[in-house]
Amino acid sequence: EMYLKVSEKKQKTAVFILTVILLAVTVFCLFTKEDKITILYNLLYYTVFIALEEEFLIRGICVYWLKDENNYIRYLVPNILFAAMHLFSYASWGEITPVYVLSFITSQMLGLILTGCIFQYLKEKSGTIWIPVLVHAILDYMVVLSY
């Protein structure tokens, strides 16, 4: 099982609250920002193509494959992969040099691993993958406030 259901009252409440937050940020930006298309595009991009995809791949498939491993392996392996996936995007799809990789490892990797572990903990404690998907989406989508 990959925690796809939202059946308990606490799960439904949390999903509802997180969805309201995501929609509230969107409505706020639609009223206060000029480029409405970019706001809506980013809502789709950060929720579906980033948060949903990364959470299902890492917290869904990878963790499922490691379900019989001890906690250290089950937490570290998928979340190191999660952090490494960001290597290219943090380089703005530019040249990946040994100096850049070293800089990424020393300045970004640990934070991304810890963030991934928090997302995984949210999934396991809530009993649904939708909580980390929505939290991830909200955190990434907040970039629209800076436009």
Side-chain angles (χ1 to χ4, degrees):
E1 181 180 344
M2 292 195 310
Y3 298 82
L4 299 176
K5 296 178 184 174
V6 177
S7 54
E8 297 176 14
K9 186 175 181 176
K10 287 181 183 180
Q11 292 173 337
K12 290 177 183 179
T13 302
V15 167
F16 176 77
I17 290 169
L18 292 169
T19 302
V20 167
I21 292 169
L22 193 60
L23 293 175
V25 172
T26 302
V27 169
F28 173 79
C29 289
L30 288 173
F31 279 110
T32 61
K33 307 290 183 182
E34 289 185 31
D35 192 355
K36 316 281 189 238
I37 298 299
T38 299
I39 300 301
L40 295 174
Y41 167 78
N42 280 314
L43 176 65
L44 177 69
Y45 176 75
Y46 286 113
T47 56
V48 176
F49 297 115
I50 300 297
L52 187 67
E53 173 264 329
E54 286 181 359
E55 294 305 315
F56 273 94
L57 179 64
I58 300 301
R59 249 80 45 212
I61 295 169
C62 289
V63 172
Y64 178 77
W65 286 342
L66 297 169
K67 69 180 184 259
D68 297 328
E69 300 295 330
N70 69 46
N71 279 346
Y72 294 112
I73 299 296
R74 203 177 75 249
Y75 268 78
L76 283 179
V77 171
N79 292 305
I80 289 171
L81 177 61
F82 172 74
M85 288 170 55
H86 292 82
L87 176 72
F88 298 103
S89 62
Y90 278 47
S92 298
W93 298 99
E95 186 176 352
I96 306 295
T97 64
V99 171
Y100 171 75
V101 172
L102 181 61
S103 172
F104 176 80
I105 290 170
T106 58
S107 66
Q108 304 293 327
M109 192 99 168
L110 182 59
L112 287 164
I113 291 169
L114 291 174
T115 302
C117 287
I118 291 168
F119 290 155
Q120 189 167 334
Y121 179 80
L122 286 172
K123 181 193 97 171
E124 291 178 4
K125 281 299 183 186
S126 70
T128 181
I129 198 166
W130 297 106
I131 304 298
V133 166
L134 288 166
V135 170
H136 191 160
I138 290 166
L139 292 174
D140 285 355
Y141 185 59
M142 288 299 184
V143 72
V144 299
L145 295 172
S146 68
Y147 295 161

